[in-house]
Structure formats: C-alpha cells, structure tokens
Amino acid sequence: MVATVGSVVAGRPAWARRLVGAVLLAYPRAPADRPRELRHFLAGLEGRPRVAVRRAVVRHRPVVPVRVVRMRWGAPGVDGLAGLAAFLDLDGDALDWFADRREINRHARDERLRHYRYTWLTHRLIEAPKPRMRALQRQLLDQILSRVPVHPSVHGFVPGRDAHTFARAHAGASVLVSMDLRAFFSSITAARIHGLFLGIGYPEPVAHALTALTTTRTPARILRAASDPYLAALLRQPHLPQGAPTSPALANLCAFRLDRRLSGLAGRFGLTYGRYADDLAFSGTLADGRVARLVALAGQIAREEGFRAHPGKTRVRRRSQRQELTGLVVNDRPAVPREDYDRLRAILHNAATQGLAAANRDGHPDFAAHLAGRVAWMSHHHPSRAAKLKDLLDRVRSSGPEVSVERRS
C-alpha cells in the first residue's frame, strides 16, 4: 500500500506510511465497495497532527472497479452497474432510463416519458409506477428487500403479520395511546435509502442506482395541486413514492431505529409498542399524569429519526371508552365495529334479495369480489360472525350474476 501511494504521487513521501496506517485502522477490510467514502476519508486526513499528510500532486490515477466486500442477510451480490443491469435483465441504456439520472420523469410534459402516474387523494399523493417500472421494483422487493429483517414490533407489510396481529398485541389494555406519523413515505429521503442499500452490502454505484429505481421527485406541475405546504416540500425532494411496491418494505427498514427507540421507550413505561405503517400504538397500564410525558418523548424521538407525529391524530383511550386500531375495536379482542358489521349484513341481504346490481350503490367494478373481501375481513377470528356472513354471501352467489351499473355520484 505504501508503494501504491508512491506510484500515485510519484515518489514515496515521508507521510505515506502514516497515511496507510490510518487507512488500515479505519478499514480492516479493503473498502473496494466505497471509493467515494474512502476519498472523503483521505481528504479529511490532511492536516491531522498524527498523520501530517500534506497536499500532493497526483501523477497517476489507478482505475480499480468496485466490487462487493460483504453482503448481509443473504441478499444477492452485484459488483457494479453492468452486474445490476444483468441482474434486472436490462442493458446499460435501459438501466439509465429507469434510474432517471437526467430527471426526465420530473421535467417531461409528455405523460409517455414519465415512469409514474399521479393521483391526488384528500391528504396524500399516490405515485403509481407504470408496468415496466413496477415489474423492476417488484423484482427488487422479492429478491433483495424481502431478505432483510424488520423490527419485531412492525406489523404492516410484513409476511405473516397484518392489521389483526397489530391490534391483537394491544387488546384488553387498560389504556391505549395511538399516534400517527405525518407523510410517512414522503418523509423518507433518497439519502436514507442509499444508506440502507450500502448497509445491505452493495457498492456505492449500485446503491446509487437502486436508490434511483425506488425513489422519485414529483413533477412541479403535479405539486401545484398540493394543499399541504409541508407535504409539497417533501415531495419536491427525492423520496419514497406512495404506490410503489418497494416503498412499504423500504419504509419499514428505514424506520428500524425509530422502532427500536420507541420500543425502548415503551419498555421504560412498562408498555407494549407496535407500528402498522404510519400508525403507532402504546398500550398497558399508565397513570394519567404520565400520558403527556409519553406522547412528548415519542414525538421527540420521531423528529430525531426524521419523522413527524401528526399533532391532531394522537388519541388516548381507557377501557371505559372504545379503543380502536386500524379499524378494529380492541377493548376485548380485535373485531370490526358492530355498526360496520350490521351495515355489511344489510348490504348482503339486499344483494341476495334484490340482486348485486341493485345493492352496488358505490359502483364497484367487481362487487361480488368486493363483498367476499369484506366478509373475510370481518370474519377474521370471529366464528359466530363468520357463519352468519358466509350464509348471506352464499345466498348472494346463488342469486345470479352481477349486472354492471354506472357509478352513482
């Protein structure tokens, strides 16, 4: 290594051995996957008393390709951009196009040149990738992100866990504190995604390209319809698009430190902590005087981890009140609210007696499948409801085929 320093600066300066010693101390393994990081480290050594590196004239720049040093969690190794293109079954130009390094997606006026379609809902923007981009993101989700473990307190978008497992962990508690993270996906920046891919083990160029494939910047023309200045500011920067198949997994992984710290906070208060997407929950036994302290500390931790708790969506519910999480009442065991169950029974009854078309007041394109999904949701771990709803659904199915109707205003 001392000889290599000499070949780069044309000579063997007196500080070469001290420079090499500092690098070996910082990098026990050769950082062949992080040339930029190594460059910044070397630049920071200039002027340090113990190293005494002086500015030198570079005479020769050896070009060494980046390569994987150590992969974690069994993710597939990819040494460089050519390897990434082969992994995704793309050529170099196609990889550059989908990574959108020239930000065509942000500036193009022609819809055909964009990788995303945009739909404004009440307080959020759905950025849905087009089919080819979605297929690439699905491949990254299935082959890379699915191998990285999430925090055990996370229930949203995790195989084997769902809204019911989230609610079940907080059922029957004397107090339930629920909080909401504002603009959860949009709060996660491209820099955090880049750091995540580096942490998995990908070299800097590969991590940069993977970041570009899974983040976006919202076009200015789309942002004109934003009613929330805070959300618009987040969308203006590279962020996770809400609507991409990779975004929930990436959000869970980037929130690992948040979950770990909030889980530790819950432990200090003798509570149980859980998170489902942007919904936070703390449950257990807690005196009135300590609730405000818990909420304040949780909000502070969220801010320190790059998130923001929504000030108007913090709820504190005792056993004497209805405790609800992700649409489930958890005072006893997780269950859909009675009024929702009664409403579904009425719809099923109308569909069985008057026909699917007459009961389809909201104009669902496949109303039978919609009803089957609602029955499955409300029947989960509730045998008595399941039997009654299944009987009604069977009557609906035997009443005849669905006739399409126009959506009513």
Side-chain angles (χ1 to χ4, degrees):
M1 290 179 67
V2 173
T4 300
V5 174
S7 68
V8 169
V9 300
R12 185 170 295 186
W15 44 259
R17 190 170 297 278
R18 294 192 297 272
L19 173 71
V20 169
V23 171
L24 289 175
L25 184 63
Y27 295 96
R29 294 187 182 92
D33 57 340
R34 305 188 178 195
R36 293 182 183 177
E37 180 183 301
L38 178 61
R39 182 187 66 192
H40 290 305
F41 176 78
L42 293 174
L45 292 178
E46 184 178 356
R48 284 194 184 181
R50 293 186 179 181
V51 183
V53 176
R54 296 185 178 88
R55 185 175 297 275
V57 177
V58 175
R59 305 294 185 183
H60 170 62
R61 295 180 182 273
V63 178
V64 180
V66 296
R67 61 176 176 82
V68 167
V69 172
R70 181 172 66 96
M71 296 300 299
R72 304 178 67 187
W73 301 298
V78 178
D79 283 327
L81 293 179
L84 179 60
F87 174 74
L88 296 173
D89 196 21
L90 300 171
D91 59 34
D93 290 338
L95 176 61
D96 189 60
W97 163 251
F98 285 111
D100 196 26
R101 297 181 181 179
R102 291 176 290 175
E103 290 199 325
I104 293 175
N105 181 81
R106 177 171 171 78
H107 299 293
R109 294 179 176 271
D110 190 338
E111 169 68 26
R112 294 172 297 179
L113 297 178
R114 292 180 178 172
H115 294 312
Y116 294 85
R117 294 187 175 94
Y118 303 92
T119 303
W120 277 105
L121 301 181
T122 306
H123 298 293
R124 56 180 174 160
L125 174 65
I126 301 300
E127 299 177 287
K130 293 181 179 178
R132 290 195 66 192
M133 175 65 91
R134 176 174 289 273
L136 293 175
Q137 293 173 341
R138 174 62 63 178
Q139 183 178 352
L140 297 178
L141 172 64
D142 293 341
Q143 299 187 31
I144 296 177
L145 300 177
S146 63
R147 304 189 180 206
V148 186
V150 301
H151 194 275
S153 298
V154 178
H155 294 263
F157 316 109
V158 179
R161 307 178 206 170
D162 54 22
H164 284 87
T165 62
F166 173 59
R168 193 179 308 131
H170 304 280
S174 63
V175 63
L176 173 66
V177 179
S178 59
M179 303 175 68
D180 179 84
L181 296 178
R182 189 177 179 187
F184 180 54
F185 290 104
S186 307
S187 297
I188 299 175
T189 63
R192 297 178 72 172
I193 301 301
H194 183 258
L196 173 65
F197 282 120
L198 287 177
I200 294 174
Y202 290 106
E204 286 173 340
V206 176
H208 186 270
L210 290 172
T211 301
L213 290 170
T214 53
T215 61
T216 187
R217 295 179 68 187
T218 307
R221 297 180 66 187
I222 304 298
L223 290 175
R224 292 172 190 163
S227 58
D228 183 354
Y230 174 72
L231 176 60
L234 295 176
L235 295 173
R236 195 170 288 115
Q237 304 301 319
H239 62 275
L240 283 184
Q242 185 168 356
T246 45
S247 291
L250 287 168
N252 279 341
L253 296 174
C254 286
F256 188 91
R257 272 176 49 93
L258 171 73
D259 295 319
R260 185 174 60 184
R261 294 184 65 187
L262 291 180
S263 181
L265 176 67
R268 286 173 52 192
F269 282 80
L271 303 175
T272 297
Y273 164 73
R275 179 174 63 81
Y276 188 94
D278 56 357
D279 292 327
L280 311 178
F282 301 86
S283 65
T285 302
L286 190 65
D288 290 337
R290 304 189 72 197
V291 170
R293 179 63 174 165
L294 170 71
V295 171
L297 289 174
Q300 178 182 335
I301 290 173
R303 288 192 300 273
E304 292 172 354
E305 295 301 327
F307 300 96
R308 182 180 294 186
H310 199 296
K313 293 188 177 181
T314 297
R315 298 285 184 269
V316 181
R317 293 289 182 267
R318 300 283 175 180
R319 285 294 300 273
S320 59
Q321 303 168 295
R322 186 160 88 172
Q323 299 173 333
E324 192 170 339
L325 284 176
T326 58
L328 297 170
V329 177
V330 297
N331 291 70
D332 182 16
R333 58 175 177 173
V336 175
R338 179 75 193 193
E339 58 268 27
D340 292 350
Y341 166 70
D342 291 339
R343 189 179 304 115
L344 179 59
R345 285 189 62 187
I347 293 173
L348 289 169
H349 176 76
N350 290 339
T353 56
Q354 302 176 18
L356 282 166
N360 188 10
R361 297 184 178 181
D362 293 326
H364 292 283
D366 189 346
F367 192 44
H370 169 75
L371 290 178
R374 294 292 297 164
V375 168
W377 167 254
M378 295 199 184
S379 300
H380 192 84
H381 283 252
H382 208 303
S384 61
R385 286 186 177 182
K388 296 174 183 177
L389 293 175
K390 182 179 182 303
D391 179 64
L392 285 170
L393 184 62
D394 289 341
R395 289 171 54 191
V396 170
R397 288 168 172 166
S398 63
S399 65
E402 178 177 1
V403 178
S404 62
V405 296
E406 293 184 0
R407 180 180 294 273
R408 300 182 183 181
S409 58

